[in-house]
Amino acid sequence: MVLALLARLTAPPTQTLRILSPTPSTVSFTVSTRPVPATLAAKLRYYVGLLTRLLLGLAALSALWIKWRISHGLTTDILLYTLGGPQTAALLKGVGRMKWSYIGGGAFVVLFAVLRRGYTEESLTVLRGLGVQTSSSAATFLQAPRNRFIPTSHIQDVLIHEAFRGFEVRYYLAIVVKGEEDIVVVFPHLLPRRAILEEVWRGTRKCLWESGSRVDTKGKDVEAN
């Protein structure tokens, strides 16, 4: 029982592969560790979690706003009029007495936790006749994803390589670019299992170099190694 629980807690997150082909010349492969709620209970937990994050973020911003107004001698009567009651007055008085280091540090931790993405998402978009674009999500929602576009004329080949990572063999999808010594690794942070890489490899080559071919849209959930 304990070993099963430890194995579940230490197991890597489930990776989901989504393939979208809106046009015959465009296909997008996205690998994500974002959980997809399937049941009603899972959806309920998901939306309750979102609401909790929102409320915590608003509470942290409110604490900073209250402390700033009190420290500058400004009134906070709007909260008393809105919320009312002796509890609100006691709360405002307590925030005013706290040091900025406590308020600021606590708000920073809460906001970081609220804005932290909590999952990794990487994608490869293939545009026939134009090139490919790789994308990796950032750690927080405020940061822009890291993108790179490679023109078709610069692509020499798309390969699946293998490498040692610790004591295990890991496979990765790589793009050989003309004039560059280093290859471009697709999905560098997630390093999906070989079955996913082979599907992306076949779809990428079909869209890039096989005229008249279209990749079917589908999705699947797979356990990461």
Side-chain angles (χ1 to χ4, degrees):
M1 185 73 176
V2 176
L3 293 179
L5 180 60
L6 290 176
R8 184 177 180 181
L9 292 176
T10 57
T14 300
Q15 295 180 353
T16 304
L17 172 64
R18 298 196 310 272
I19 305 177
L20 297 177
S21 184
T23 67
S25 59
T26 304
V27 60
S28 175
F29 305 91
T30 302
V31 180
S32 176
T33 59
R34 182 178 183 177
V36 180
T39 64
L40 180 61
K43 293 180 180 179
L44 182 60
R45 288 194 299 269
Y46 175 76
Y47 288 113
V48 169
L50 286 181
L51 180 60
T52 302
R53 289 164 68 105
L54 178 61
L55 293 177
L56 288 174
L58 290 176
L61 292 176
S62 299
L64 291 175
W65 179 79
I66 293 172
K67 181 62 178 178
W68 178 81
R69 291 189 67 87
I70 292 177
S71 62
H72 286 76
L74 302 176
T75 179
T76 57
D77 292 341
I78 185 173
L79 288 180
L80 291 175
Y81 294 147
T82 303
L83 301 178
Q87 295 84 0
T88 303
L91 175 64
L92 295 176
K93 188 175 182 180
V95 172
R97 289 179 177 178
M98 293 182 66
K99 295 182 178 179
W100 261 114
S101 57
Y102 297 149
I103 296 289
F108 175 80
V109 172
V110 172
L111 290 175
F112 179 79
V114 169
L115 296 174
R116 189 173 180 271
R117 190 174 295 273
Y119 62 88
T120 303
E121 194 167 88
E122 296 181 306
S123 64
L124 173 67
T125 303
V126 186
L127 304 171
R128 181 179 296 147
L130 295 177
V132 301
Q133 176 174 289
T134 62
S135 178
S136 297
S137 62
T140 66
F141 290 102
L142 296 180
Q143 297 173 284
R146 295 177 292 276
N147 301 321
R148 179 181 178 181
F149 181 79
I150 306 174
T152 304
S153 58
H154 292 182
I155 300 176
Q156 287 186 316
D157 206 350
V158 181
L159 308 168
I160 295 180
H161 279 290
E162 62 179 20
F164 286 99
R165 186 179 184 182
F167 295 98
E168 62 178 346
V169 177
R170 299 300 298 266
Y171 296 91
Y172 61 93
L173 186 67
I175 300 176
V176 182
V177 182
K178 292 181 182 179
E180 296 187 13
E181 295 183 0
D182 298 330
I183 59 177
V184 177
V185 178
V186 185
F187 316 127
H189 299 97
L190 292 177
L191 294 178
R193 58 184 296 184
R194 183 172 179 175
I196 293 180
L197 296 180
E198 289 179 350
E199 190 164 359
V200 176
W201 173 77
R202 286 192 297 267
T204 300
R205 295 181 65 89
K206 181 181 292 186
C207 187
L208 276 179
W209 294 304
E210 295 182 20
S211 60
S213 299
R214 175 170 180 159
V215 180
D216 296 331
T217 60
K218 56 182 176 178
K220 60 174 68 175
D221 294 339
V222 294
E223 292 288 345
N225 288 336

